[in-house]
């Protein structure tokens, strides 16, 4: 469940950004066509559908995970297979890469769909971080952002599945144990949403400032984050009868605090499990992986000033899926994502790759270049992990451009 909130501790600052099985489950309920899907991490196996040879030439430290098919997110790969969007954009690995994935048709009557994948490099000088893509737009549609009636109907249907505790929470599936497993939106449910909104899907401009603007003349390096209930989220949830997760977490925290149990229970949970995360087949110990991306920014696990490095979390391919845990079927890679040639480069990729040649000369000294880090916990008095970013001074660093 979603249970983390500021102030974070050693466990929750890590688990807070993990993908929840309920989010994957909700997205899988969508049936209508999707033009664009965006994810931070790449879908696992997407590298088989582009110029894999060039990718490994530019980022040789990906080789072990590419060859074992463990690079990227298995959750994203399942959604890619299920939703079949026209475009999929990702970031995370800091390299430009395009791919073209032809999906298998579910029936003879269905026309096969394809997804154009594009990831871009870091936003730094001399890097491929920008590309313009034209996407068709309905000329009769307005220019303002609008709610999606199908998605709201899915949120309403799955609201009872929301969990704000650390407990494991398995999603319903067609296995004989659940009376209902299909939470996709019916036409009637979508019609009800439209009637609730009086057929006006325009998203209100109700932005509210919830935190003070940053003042560079008065930097507050060690200010602890506070748990804020966002009024826009509150209004949205109230309008559609949805659970405001942040508000529920705050309520649960206050109730436990009143009983004097919150801190004790949290300590017991951490001592007994070693982690705030639910048991999972996914191996979160990435110390043994060799695919370290020197470009990637990570949360500082120890609070020291060691070299910045990271690698992706990696499930064990040697163990069969444990269907008693969450993500019950997400661990099974779709057949259509398991094959391709090493140098497959579909002609459609040229549309996405046309603006950039490879950056081998740019990248070849990357592993040899000393890595810099801005900031640090000089006093060591907060006990809270800091997100350390090194982009802030990059444009002022002359040696950065020289090396590239």
């Amino acid at each position: 469940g979603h249970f983390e909130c500021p102030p974070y501790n050693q466990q929750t600052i890590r688990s807070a950004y993990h993908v929840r099985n309920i989010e994957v489950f909700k997205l899988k309920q969508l049936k209508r066509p999707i033009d664009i899907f965006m994810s931070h991490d790449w879908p696992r196996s997407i590298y088989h559908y582009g110029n894999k040879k060039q990718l490994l030439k530019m980022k040789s430290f990906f080789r072990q995970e590419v060859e074992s098919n463990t690079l990227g997110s298995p959750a994203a790969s399942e959604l890619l297979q299920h939703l079949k969007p026209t475009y999929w954009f990702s970031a995370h690995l800091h390299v430009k890469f395009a791919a073209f994935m032809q999906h298998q048709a579910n029936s003879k009557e269905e026309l096969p769909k394809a997804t154009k994948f594009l990831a871009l490099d870091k936003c730094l000088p001399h890097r491929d971080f920008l590309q313009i893509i034209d996407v068709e737009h309905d000329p009769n549609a307005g220019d303002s952002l609008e709610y999606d009636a199908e998605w709201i109907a899915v949120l309403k249907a799955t609201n009872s599945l929301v969990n704000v505790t650390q407990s494991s929470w398995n999603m319903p599936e067609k296995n004989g144990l659940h009376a209902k497993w299909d939470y996709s939106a019916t036409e009637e449910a979508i019609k009800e949403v439209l009637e609730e909104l009086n057929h006006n899907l325009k998203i209100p401009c109700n932005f509210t400032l919830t935190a003070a603007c940053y003042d560079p003349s008065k930097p507050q390096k060690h200010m602890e984050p506070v748990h804020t209930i966002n009024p826009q989220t509150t209004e949205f949830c109230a309008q559609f009868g949805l659970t405001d997760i942040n508000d529920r977490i705050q309520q649960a925290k206050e109730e436990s605090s009143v009983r004097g149990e919150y801190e004790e229970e949290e300590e017991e949970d951490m001592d007994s499990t070693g982690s705030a995360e639910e048991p999972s087949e996914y191996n979160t110990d990435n110390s043994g992986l060799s695919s370290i991306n020197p470009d990637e920014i990570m949360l500082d696990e120890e609070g020291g000033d060691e070299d910045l490095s990271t690698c992706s979390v990696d499930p064990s391919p040697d163990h069969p899926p444990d269907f008693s845990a969450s993500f019950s079927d997400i661990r099974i890679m779709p057949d259509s994502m398991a094959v391709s040639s090493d140098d497959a480069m579909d002609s459609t990729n040229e549309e996405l790759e046309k603006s950039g040649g490879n950056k081998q000369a740019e990248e070849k000294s990357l592993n040899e270049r000393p890595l810099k880090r801005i900031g640090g916990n000089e006093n060591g008095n907060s006990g809270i992990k800091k997100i350390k970013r090194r982009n802030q001074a990059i444009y002022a660093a002359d040696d950065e451009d020289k090396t590239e």
Side-chain angles (χ1 to χ4, degrees), residues 19-220:
V19 177
R20 314 295 151 133
N21 57 357
I22 187 173
E23 309 305 342
V24 178
F25 180 81
K26 287 189 291 189
L27 285 165
K28 286 182 68 177
Q29 306 309 309
L30 294 174
K31 304 298 183 186
R32 293 183 174 181
I34 292 178
D35 295 313
I36 298 171
F37 197 103
M38 299 175 71
S39 66
H40 180 67
D41 201 1
W42 293 19
R44 179 167 295 180
S45 294
I46 194 63
Y47 33 81
H48 292 310
Y49 295 86
N51 195 332
K52 187 165 57 179
K53 190 177 290 184
Q54 182 183 351
L55 173 67
L56 294 178
K57 196 176 290 185
M58 297 171 70
K59 300 283 185 179
S60 58
F61 40 84
F62 290 165
R63 181 172 296 278
Q64 178 183 334
E65 288 174 272
V66 166
E67 290 178 350
S68 61
N69 203 33
T70 54
L71 182 67
S73 165
S77 68
E78 183 178 0
L79 288 172
L80 172 59
Q81 169 74 10
H82 186 83
L83 299 174
K84 304 178 176 67
T86 306
Y87 292 95
W88 187 299
F89 301 131
S90 295
H92 189 53
L93 296 182
H94 306 304
V95 60
K96 182 177 181 180
F97 180 75
F100 182 85
M101 180 180 177
Q102 187 79 49
H103 298 282
Q104 295 176 353
N106 294 327
S107 63
K108 293 181 179 179
E109 294 77 25
E110 183 184 69
L111 291 174
K113 296 179 180 179
T115 297
K116 296 176 182 178
F117 173 84
L118 179 63
L120 294 172
D121 206 341
K122 290 183 77 173
C123 187
L124 294 175
H126 315 298
R127 306 282 279 266
D128 285 324
F129 62 84
L130 179 65
Q131 184 157 328
I132 306 298
I133 293 177
D134 292 321
V135 179
E136 289 185 10
H137 175 66
D138 181 359
N140 299 318
D143 293 330
S144 58
L145 292 174
E146 294 185 347
Y147 289 126
D148 183 273
E150 183 192 16
W151 177 242
I152 291 176
V154 168
L155 293 180
K156 289 165 71 75
T158 57
N159 190 60
S160 61
L161 302 178
V162 170
N163 175 20
V164 295
T165 75
Q166 299 180 39
S167 304
S168 300
W169 194 241
N170 297 321
M171 292 299 101
E173 54 184 316
K174 192 176 181 180
N175 57 4
L177 300 177
H178 300 91
K180 180 180 180 181
W181 57 86
D182 184 357
Y183 286 76
S184 56
T186 63
E187 289 301 320
E188 184 180 346
I190 294 173
K191 185 180 177 181
E192 287 178 7
V193 170
L194 291 172
E195 289 174 355
E196 282 182 47
L197 294 169
N198 294 320
H199 293 268
N200 179 14
L201 293 171
K202 186 176 180 180
I203 295 175
C205 296
N206 60 348
F207 174 77
T208 305
L209 199 67
T210 58
C213 296
Y214 174 70
D215 184 354
S217 65
K218 300 175 182 177
Q220 299 182 25

Side-chain angles (χ1 to χ4, degrees), residues 335-367:
D335 292 339
S336 63
M337 300 198 70
V339 292
S340 98
S341 66
D342 283 345
D343 55 353
M345 190 64 167
D346 193 281
S347 59
T348 314
N349 286 357
E350 295 174 8
E351 175 188 339
L352 296 176
E353 283 285 14
K354 62 185 177 184
S355 64
N358 76 49
K359 294 286 181 182
Q360 297 169 24
E362 215 175 273
E363 297 286 349
K364 71 178 180 180
S365 62
L366 194 56
N367 290 330

